[in-house]
Amino acid sequence: MRVQLDMTRVTQWTPSYNIAPTNTALIVIAEDAPKGFDYKYVVEPSKFGLVPSWLKPNDPTPVREGKETEGAKYSQEIGKNEAKYFNCRRESLDQNKSVWNSAKKYRCVIPIKGYFEWLKEDKNKIPYFVHSKTSPLCFLAGFYSHNYHYTENTNVKDQYLSTFTIITAPAAKGDEFDLSWLHTRKPMLIKPGSQEWFEWLNPEKSWNNSLIGDALNSTANQAYDNI
């Protein structure tokens, strides 16, 4: 298997241990593989919180210029949209909602070292770091958007505004890998190299609700095996 990894879109990005909505993270998307390769994966910086590709600005002017390493600050208008669509509930994907319908073709994964959840015990909150025991990274399932209308706020090669959302599902006691003791919901993970991985990232695969039960299987998902 020959894989081409394209990192050319990552020109300015600073790793962070805390990625909150409107912050920047890296996403991985698949594109048509060039001759001689089986797969092509592209890594690009993207803002956490989906701004739909069809959304046009009422006020695209940045509030103020940021530090040299950060670039221009987003307008309050963009921030409100990002904060609104930073996660997508798995159970809403078979419903006819315009925001998610327009994003279903644009599927990605988000590489992370792990994530924190806070367990409430009486009046105390205990932090738990959820991560893989065998791999340095986990991969969250998500949707991404390339918006060409916010020309004053582009973040990839001065061409478009890249944003993303993560998909979450209920955490139930009946799950094969139970996390319900920690939180009522969990982000959907996808195991690299699995059939679910290739189905989810395949740019030629149109959306089908079977992906909800297959790639986004929250009951018996092997990506949680070593968590």
Side-chain angles (χ1 to χ4, degrees):
M1 180 188 300
R2 298 194 65 194
V3 177
Q4 183 184 76
L5 183 64
D6 184 349
M7 298 280 292
T8 58
R9 299 179 192 177
V10 185
T11 55
Q12 283 190 343
W13 174 70
T14 303
S16 174
Y17 288 103
N18 182 27
I19 303 296
T22 76
N23 290 165
T24 297
L26 295 181
I27 65 172
V28 180
I29 61 179
E31 293 185 350
D32 293 336
K35 186 176 181 180
F37 290 89
D38 299 298
Y39 300 96
K40 177 183 178 180
Y41 296 119
V42 178
V43 181
E44 72 176 30
S46 190
K47 288 283 185 176
F48 185 13
L50 193 80
V51 176
S53 60
W54 42 262
L55 193 68
K56 295 182 179 180
N58 292 317
D59 176 17
T61 308
V63 174
R64 61 183 176 84
E65 292 295 319
K67 297 178 181 178
E68 184 177 350
T69 57
E70 295 178 351
K73 291 291 183 182
Y74 282 7
S75 70
Q76 293 178 348
E77 177 186 334
I78 293 181
K80 288 179 180 179
N81 281 292
E82 290 176 334
K84 185 177 181 181
Y85 299 121
F86 66 89
N87 70 42
C88 168
R89 288 176 172 257
R90 174 186 179 273
E91 54 268 34
S92 71
L93 290 176
D94 60 354
Q95 301 171 10
N96 188 26
K97 295 190 175 182
S98 60
V99 171
W100 305 136
N101 283 345
S102 65
K104 286 176 179 177
K105 182 180 178 181
Y106 304 101
R107 303 183 293 272
C108 67
V109 293
I110 303 95
I112 61 171
K113 287 186 175 181
Y115 65 93
F116 277 100
E117 287 289 6
W118 296 81
L119 181 66
K120 294 181 180 180
E121 288 190 354
D122 298 325
K123 296 182 179 180
N124 299 318
K125 289 185 177 181
I126 303 173
Y128 279 82
F129 184 57
V130 183
H131 64 97
S132 172
K133 299 175 184 177
T134 58
S135 174
L137 294 175
C138 300
F139 293 86
L140 306 177
F143 296 128
Y144 72 94
S145 169
H146 289 168
N147 186 304
Y148 289 84
H149 302 298
Y150 283 87
T151 56
E152 298 297 324
N153 296 283
T154 56
N155 59 353
V156 178
K157 291 187 174 181
D158 294 326
Q159 294 179 7
Y160 55 81
L161 169 65
S162 176
T163 58
F164 73 94
T165 186
I166 65 172
I167 299 171
T168 65
K173 289 185 178 180
D175 292 347
E176 185 174 344
F177 308 104
D178 180 19
L179 288 174
S180 63
W181 59 273
L182 181 59
H183 198 277
T184 57
R185 299 193 67 81
K186 61 185 179 182
M188 290 304 309
L189 300 180
I190 294 187
K191 185 176 182 179
S194 64
Q195 180 180 350
E196 292 79 13
W197 170 278
F198 293 116
E199 286 187 351
W200 183 254
L201 288 177
N202 184 354
E204 300 298 323
K205 186 177 180 65
S206 299
W207 178 263
N208 187 302
N209 281 348
S210 64
L211 283 169
I212 301 174
D214 295 336
L216 301 180
N217 186 331
S218 63
T219 303
N221 189 330
Q222 294 302 310
Y224 295 90
D225 187 16
N226 293 308
I227 295 298

